[in-house]
Amino acid sequence: QVQLVESGGGLVQAGGSLRLSCAATGRTFSSYAMGWFRQAPGKEREFVAAISWSGNYIVYADSVKGRFTASRDNAKNTVYLQVNSLKPEDTAVYYCAAPHLPYRVVTTHTDFGSWGQGTQVTVSS
């Protein structure tokens, strides 16, 4: 089991930026891909991005391509999500997640076994 703690959320105006962080403890971080999801009020949790265990392969949802950038620092057991050009529709609780299995880049929420508590991102128009 891995423990995940997100930080970096906040209130920002449209067009602004934030850097979300997710610190992991409890298992070999560098063997696992990581994912970012978000959930807006009244909506289902949706995939945002996934980054491979090395950081060399990243998958993004179409809605965030070109605006969001995932990265990781395995020496710090931390994964990041740089969110730029924010829009009001990006308002949501953002979660990082670790998959059940190592060395797998997955994008479906049922493939993830550990979740952080979430960090709120609110974008005002």
Side-chain angles (χ1 to χ4, degrees):
Q1 192 73 5
V2 62
Q3 290 75 46
L4 303 171
V5 178
E6 301 98 335
S7 61
L11 173 63
V12 64
Q13 289 187 332
S17 299
L18 290 169
R19 189 193 196 199
L20 309 183
S21 299
C22 171
T25 58
R27 67 181 183 191
T28 308
F29 179 74
S30 60
S31 299
Y32 288 81
M34 294 291 293
W36 285 96
F37 288 77
R38 66 185 181 185
Q39 188 166 19
K43 295 188 177 181
E44 293 187 353
R45 191 167 299 191
E46 67 168 338
F47 168 77
V48 174
I51 183 168
S52 67
W53 49 98
S54 65
N56 291 339
Y57 178 68
I58 306 172
V59 181
Y60 296 100
D62 288 344
S63 59
V64 307
K65 279 181 183 176
R67 301 189 299 121
F68 290 12
T69 303
S71 62
R72 65 190 295 160
D73 184 338
N74 286 343
K76 296 182 178 179
N77 282 9
T78 301
V79 63
Y80 305 97
L81 186 68
Q82 178 69 40
V83 296
N84 298 331
S85 302
L86 283 163
K87 306 174 182 180
E89 52 263 41
D90 294 318
T91 295
V93 178
Y94 284 70
Y95 299 90
C96 67
H100 294 290
L101 299 176
Y103 303 115
R104 296 283 191 278
V105 177
V106 290
T107 61
T108 303
H109 74 278
T110 53
D111 290 323
F112 291 83
S114 299
W115 296 81
Q117 83 289 351
T119 186
Q120 176 72 47
V121 172
T122 303
V123 185
S124 62
S125 57

